[in-house]
Amino acid sequence: MSDTSQNPQPPLSDEELGRMDAWWRACNYLSVGMIYLKDNPLLREPLTAEHVKHRLLGHWGASPALSFVWVHLNRLIKRDDLNVIFMAGPGHGAPGVLGPTYLEGTYSEVYPDKSEDIDGMRKFFKQFSFPGHIGSHVTPETPGSIHEGGELGYSVSHAYGAAYDNPDLIVACVVGDGEAETGPLATAWHSNKFINPVRDGAVLPILNLNGYKIANPTILARISPKELEALFVGYGYKPYFVEGSDPSEMHQKMAATLDEAIAEIRAIQQQARETGDAERPFWPMIVLRSPKGWTGPKEIDGHKAEGFWRSHQVPFSDVIGNPAHLKLLEDWMKSYKPEALFDEDGRLRPELRAISPQGPRRMSANPHANGGLLRKELKLPDFRDYAVSVPQSGSSEYENTKPLGEFLRDVMKMNPNNFRVFGPDETASNRLQAIYQVSKKTWMADLLPEDADGGELSRDGRVMEMLSEHTLIGWLEGYLLSGRHGFFHTYEAFAHVVDSMFNQHAKWLDISKNYVPWRASVSSQTILLSSTVWRQDHNGFSHQDPGFIDLVTNKSPSVTRIYLPPDANTLLVVADQCLRSTGCINVIVADKQKHLQFLTIDEAIIHCAKGIGIAQRASNDAGVEPDVVMASCGDVATMEALAATAILRERLPELKVRFVNVVDLFKLQPASEHPHGSTEREFDSLFTTNKPIIFNFHGYPWLIHKLAYRFKNHANLHVRGYKEKGNINTPMELAILNEVDRFHLVIDVIDRVPGLAAKAAHLKEEMKNEIILNLNYAHEQGTDRAEITNWKWPY
């Protein structure tokens, strides 16, 4: 166990210790003021109930530890000219970060009305966790933040994402000990096996071991020191322990420990960069064991507060109606001696201001925490060069994602320092393995001789694979938010693992784009969902879930985009478009198996530009009003809808069928609701105002109704999609079970088009027979009939 508490030479002089402790006390004073006060910011007069907020929200417990770490990092940033950003993992820890950003002057620069005087401090206090203002997390409105922490578990993965390809950056990541109990955080400790000291920056994790969550002790605080040390050594870290409660002693311990940890990081990097040896070291990390609610009231109404769960949130909330608690609050705030910290105008005293770094070296003003400022346009090859040849529509098959892999290979080749591909153990499975021709998989753990035989592992690889979607998407978010570009892929059914992470990132982007004008746009997050629901012949029911896109439609339309390209060329066009975009989350659904190819690259460009359009080769209604609109969205859904259309055109040639294909899902929403939406005239022109619409959809059918319900012809919209029916099935069997197959679609048209029910009764009976024949064949032979698997578009 590394412990610098016995260091015979205190690293801080008495003068330096005094100034750092005073700066920290000023942070703690601001933290308490944010939670409790709306007026009387420097207690120039006795505290009254009128000075206290009527709405008390926020967490005091972790705030002192956060600002304690901040002031110690500032000392080294200023001394050694370090490039450091700060991540606050503890939930609701904003007071411990907002205080330092205000004292450094950044907050007032960004928000001039929160000036460095009494009036500005009053507004600074009143805005905190108050309607119409800022929240109690380290939200996008907070300078220096790229990690809100509204949901616990992602601080470490975000930190490592920011460190990749940032060789001079140190990411100081404070991890809450409650947060450390989450699955995403527990797995993210393994990120140190993927950081290369030659080309990457460093992450310094600091475990805030204050012992308690909302109402319970934390696990890591209630195991023996030996066991705790063994845990982090097992994770591959060299743990340093800073433990205690006396501020003067803790300042000296923390200063000595940080001196050693930062020196160790720089020595690791220097050796690796001088020798080119990228072997994995044991990176330092710090366990900071301090009381929860440090420097707050020791007891409240006879109950232990500091160092116990009662200090987790607002230590006492009945200040307005309880004179004893009002006096306790006043004594608590006066214990920080604000008159020695701030001058008569409410400005931090000059000798304390002097200890902060200047300009962009301030963690609150570091451009890596406003990554759009550092973002450079991605260099992209011409996607047309990767196009699949389509001599005749619907006659040839190709793996849709394979050309995408070749495109991404060259994107990585052209952007060797600011583009990475992230995904679970599925890059080759999703047919993206061409990427390995340019860059292997990052691997800093042990290498074996047999790895050279197809293992695709390399110390300097740039393909990020780990069987933890949480960690991968966290890396990607940190990478994007600090100014770079990336691409994430996973199996469709298991994208749900990161549902809540998607939610949090979408909320961050929405606030940043629409409410925080000083934040520069970052590259969009692009997610490919492959190995889709309709091609799970052997994986079965567990791999059948197209519902991630339903979740996406719940988030802000300003940041969400969904694409379902029907073939390889439309996928290339969509991917190019997504990689060029900023400030959004792009979700692409495209299967990896062989599928019929429909559009040439030039046709795909036009179709994707519109997002929705009539497939003229599949339609026979030119110049007249259609009898029925056959619509599709998704690769398999499109093929089955086309097959149904072919049957209708052959057997009912007088029937006028219009075929509409949707690539951009949000085209089915009104333009008033989504920037990619359709106007009423556009929608009515395509789908008519009174004809039946048979819509074959990749996902759950009710999603289409949710999007399109406001349009005039919604009553005639009949959607087929996945209805949670399946197991080990052939492709046609699965389609039949969920009624997205060609036979059910033909029956649907017969049932919906006026006058066809009696006229086409024989055809309807044939379709029913085909359903039975195909199901029986699948169960007897274990495969689909040749006329199904070999079907081609006949027109």
Side-chain angles (χ1 to χ4, degrees):
M1 179 185 298
S2 300
D3 187 342
T4 60
S5 59
Q6 304 302 319
N7 193 322
Q9 294 293 330
L12 302 177
S13 66
D14 289 345
E15 180 183 358
E16 193 171 20
L17 171 62
R19 286 191 288 121
M20 289 183 66
D21 186 65
W23 202 91
W24 180 49
R25 283 189 286 112
C27 289
N28 291 337
Y29 181 87
L30 294 175
S31 294
V32 181
M34 276 182 265
I35 295 171
Y36 282 100
L37 296 190
K38 66 177 179 182
D39 204 352
N40 196 10
L42 287 179
L43 302 185
R44 300 298 197 200
E45 55 188 273
L47 196 62
T48 68
E50 286 69 32
H51 297 143
V52 180
K53 288 180 179 177
H54 293 278
R55 181 186 178 92
L56 300 181
L57 289 173
H59 285 206
W60 162 246
S63 297
L66 290 168
S67 55
F68 179 80
V69 172
W70 192 293
V71 69
H72 278 272
L73 289 168
N74 271 355
R75 166 180 167 265
L76 293 183
I77 292 169
K78 187 165 186 179
R79 188 191 72 186
D80 299 337
D81 192 32
L82 298 180
N83 188 8
V84 182
I85 62 173
F86 188 92
M87 289 201 185
H92 300 277
V97 174
L98 289 167
T101 67
Y102 182 77
L103 294 183
E104 289 182 344
T106 308
Y107 208 87
S108 299
E109 292 169 10
V110 173
Y111 304 106
D113 62 318
K114 311 302 186 302
S115 49
E116 296 180 79
D117 52 31
I118 292 177
D119 184 58
M121 191 184 295
R122 180 183 293 111
K123 293 177 180 177
F124 182 67
F125 284 172
K126 186 175 181 179
Q127 70 164 351
F128 177 74
S129 199
F130 202 79
H133 294 282
I134 63 172
S136 59
H137 305 115
V138 191
T139 61
E141 295 93 337
T142 306
S145 172
I146 61 170
H147 171 80
E148 175 169 333
E151 181 184 358
L152 300 178
Y154 315 128
S155 59
V156 169
S157 58
H158 282 163
Y160 277 92
Y164 294 136
D165 296 316
N166 259 334
D168 298 325
L169 185 67
I170 296 174
V171 186
C173 180
V174 182
V175 181
D177 53 354
E179 179 187 26
E181 297 177 10
T182 65
L185 196 288
T187 306
W189 292 116
H190 286 300
S191 301
N192 59 5
K193 284 83 172 177
F194 297 85
I195 199 157
N196 184 324
V198 174
R199 67 181 183 190
D200 299 327
V203 174
L204 179 61
I206 302 169
L207 178 64
N208 178 28
L209 198 66
N210 64 30
Y212 293 92
K213 305 185 285 281
I214 295 175
N216 280 291
T218 57
I219 294 171
L220 296 186
R222 295 293 182 94
I223 62 178
S224 70
K226 184 177 180 181
E227 187 179 355
L228 184 64
E229 179 189 20
L231 174 68
F232 287 108
V233 171
Y235 270 125
Y237 293 93
K238 181 179 179 181
Y240 291 81
F241 289 76
V242 177
E243 303 174 296
S245 60
D246 179 80
S248 295
E249 293 179 4
M250 289 291 281
H251 279 300
Q252 295 288 9
K253 291 178 181 180
M254 189 65 174
T257 301
L258 270 178
D259 280 349
E260 191 168 347
I262 296 298
E264 193 165 354
I265 287 171
R266 300 183 90 178
I268 289 169
Q269 292 176 334
Q270 182 177 358
Q271 180 181 7
R273 292 167 190 180
E274 288 178 353
T275 64
D277 182 2
E279 293 301 311
R280 179 172 69 94
F282 273 69
W283 293 96
M285 60 91 62
I286 296 172
V287 177
L288 174 62
R289 190 189 293 267
S290 60
K292 195 174 187 74
W294 197 9
T295 74
K298 304 292 184 185
E299 289 188 354
I300 300 172
D301 298 333
H303 298 288
K304 182 178 175 64
E306 184 191 56
F308 199 47
W309 59 262
R310 286 191 179 89
S311 65
H312 177 76
Q313 294 177 312
V314 179
F316 42 91
S317 58
D318 58 340
V319 186
I320 293 175
N322 188 327
H325 283 182
L326 184 64
K327 182 63 167 63
L328 180 60
L329 173 62
E330 183 177 46
D331 292 344
W332 176 13
M333 296 193 72
K334 284 185 174 180
S335 72
Y336 296 119
K337 302 178 181 177
E339 68 280 358
L341 308 174
F342 304 95
D343 63 21
E344 291 298 318
D345 296 325
R347 185 176 174 85
L348 189 67
R349 294 191 179 276
E351 64 273 19
L352 301 183
R353 292 181 62 83
I355 72 174
S356 293
Q358 300 299 308
R361 280 298 191 241
R362 294 171 295 177
M363 290 186 288
S364 57
N366 192 304
H368 291 280
N370 188 3
L373 297 175
L374 302 176
R375 178 183 179 273
K376 296 179 180 179
E377 290 293 329
L378 199 62
K379 298 175 183 176
L380 291 173
D382 189 339
F383 63 86
R384 298 170 184 82
D385 295 339
Y386 309 87
V388 172
S389 175
V390 185
Q392 183 176 336
S393 180
S395 64
S396 59
E397 291 186 333
Y398 209 84
E399 293 164 315
N400 284 350
T401 55
K402 189 175 180 180
L404 174 63
E406 297 166 355
F407 175 68
L408 293 174
R409 171 198 65 200
D410 293 343
V411 174
M412 185 168 285
K413 182 178 181 180
M414 297 171 68
N415 302 272
N417 300 312
N418 67 341
F419 177 78
R420 294 198 183 203
V421 173
F422 302 78
D425 185 23
E426 297 159 0
T427 302
S429 175
N430 284 331
R431 310 296 193 265
L432 304 176
Q433 65 268 29
I435 299 172
Y436 298 146
Q437 298 169 17
V438 167
S439 181
K440 307 300 183 182
K441 293 176 276 190
T442 303
W443 190 257
M444 295 300 297
D446 292 347
L447 290 169
L448 302 177
E450 54 266 33
D451 292 329
D453 184 19
E456 308 289 3
L457 304 177
S458 174
R459 299 288 191 229
D460 62 355
R462 305 184 53 74
V463 180
M464 310 300 290
E465 291 193 24
M466 180 180 178
L467 204 54
S468 168
E469 289 90 345
H470 288 122
T471 305
L472 291 162
I473 207 77
W475 288 346
L476 174 58
E477 289 171 0
Y479 200 68
L480 296 174
L481 289 169
S482 53
R484 280 75 63 73
H485 306 260
F487 185 93
F488 176 75
H489 63 95
T490 188
Y491 286 2
E492 180 182 49
F494 307 123
H496 286 295
V497 172
V498 296
D499 275 5
S500 59
M501 295 186 73
F502 161 81
N503 286 338
Q504 295 299 319
H505 190 60
K507 290 174 183 291
W508 177 281
L509 292 177
D510 179 45
I511 294 295
S512 298
K513 177 182 280 190
N514 297 308
Y515 302 101
V516 189
W518 54 265
R519 280 202 179 270
S521 290
V522 297
S523 300
S524 294
Q525 182 183 91
T526 298
I527 300 173
L528 170 68
L529 305 181
S530 195
S531 188
T532 58
V533 57
W534 300 110
R535 290 293 181 265
Q536 297 301 332
D537 309 15
H538 304 293
N539 288 321
F541 198 39
S542 65
H543 284 53
Q544 296 170 11
D545 189 332
F548 185 79
I549 56 177
D550 293 60
L551 173 78
V552 177
T553 63
N554 294 333
K555 296 298 128 189
S556 170
S558 70
V559 301
T560 48
R561 309 287 185 263
I562 301 173
Y563 303 96
L564 292 99
D567 63 5
N569 286 338
T570 50
L571 175 57
L572 283 170
V573 178
V574 164
D576 179 82
Q577 178 179 321
C578 291
L579 290 178
R580 293 179 187 276
S581 67
T582 61
C584 293
I585 302 179
N586 303 304
V587 178
I588 308 171
V589 183
D591 190 53
K592 64 187 182 182
Q593 305 290 357
K594 286 188 175 181
H595 291 274
L596 288 175
Q597 302 302 305
F598 302 112
L599 300 179
T600 67
I601 193 65
D602 291 333
E603 291 169 337
I605 291 170
I606 293 172
H607 187 37
C608 291
K610 295 185 296 184
I612 185 173
I614 296 173
Q616 294 183 351
R617 282 193 294 262
S619 306
N620 65 349
D621 69 322
V624 299
E625 196 172 11
D627 297 309
V628 64
V629 177
M630 183 72 76
S632 70
C633 184
D635 39 34
V636 170
T638 296
M639 182 186 70
E640 288 301 312
L642 283 169
T645 300
I647 294 171
L648 291 168
R649 288 181 58 179
E650 178 186 357
R651 299 297 301 277
L652 301 172
E654 71 283 2
L655 184 72
K656 298 303 178 183
V657 182
R658 174 178 297 173
F659 196 98
V660 175
N661 180 252
V662 179
V663 176
D664 184 340
L665 187 63
F666 283 116
K667 284 293 181 182
L668 298 176
Q669 205 166 19
S672 60
E673 300 300 313
H674 195 282
H676 283 204
S678 298
T679 66
E680 190 169 302
R681 287 183 176 182
E682 289 169 337
F683 192 91
D684 292 348
S685 175
L686 290 171
F687 291 102
T688 78
T689 59
N690 57 1
K691 302 300 181 182
I693 306 166
I694 310 301
F695 198 115
N696 213 32
F697 181 48
H698 170 87
Y700 292 109
W702 34 88
L703 177 57
I704 300 302
H705 290 291
K706 168 187 168 181
L707 297 174
Y709 77 95
R710 289 189 178 182
F711 289 111
K712 289 179 182 177
N713 205 22
H714 179 257
N716 286 315
L717 176 62
H718 310 285
V719 186
R720 297 296 185 182
Y722 184 68
K723 296 193 292 186
E724 216 44 35
K725 294 182 179 180
N727 206 318
I728 303 299
N729 309 115
T730 67
M732 176 51 72
E733 180 193 9
L734 184 62
I736 289 173
L737 292 177
N738 291 277
E739 301 180 351
V740 301
D741 62 288
R742 60 200 70 180
F743 311 118
H744 275 104
L745 295 176
V746 170
I747 291 172
D748 231 2
V749 171
I750 294 171
D751 288 343
R752 305 289 182 185
V753 174
L756 276 188
K759 182 179 179 181
H762 289 276
L763 177 58
K764 182 175 180 179
E765 285 299 301
E766 290 180 32
M767 297 298 99
K768 290 181 179 179
N769 295 344
E770 286 290 332
I771 289 170
I772 295 169
L773 287 171
N774 279 279
L775 289 176
N776 289 341
Y777 190 92
H779 289 172
E780 291 169 3
Q781 304 298 323
T783 187
D784 287 324
R785 297 159 69 197
E787 53 264 45
I788 298 298
T789 57
N790 297 329
W791 181 85
K792 303 292 187 290
W793 174 248
Y795 292 97

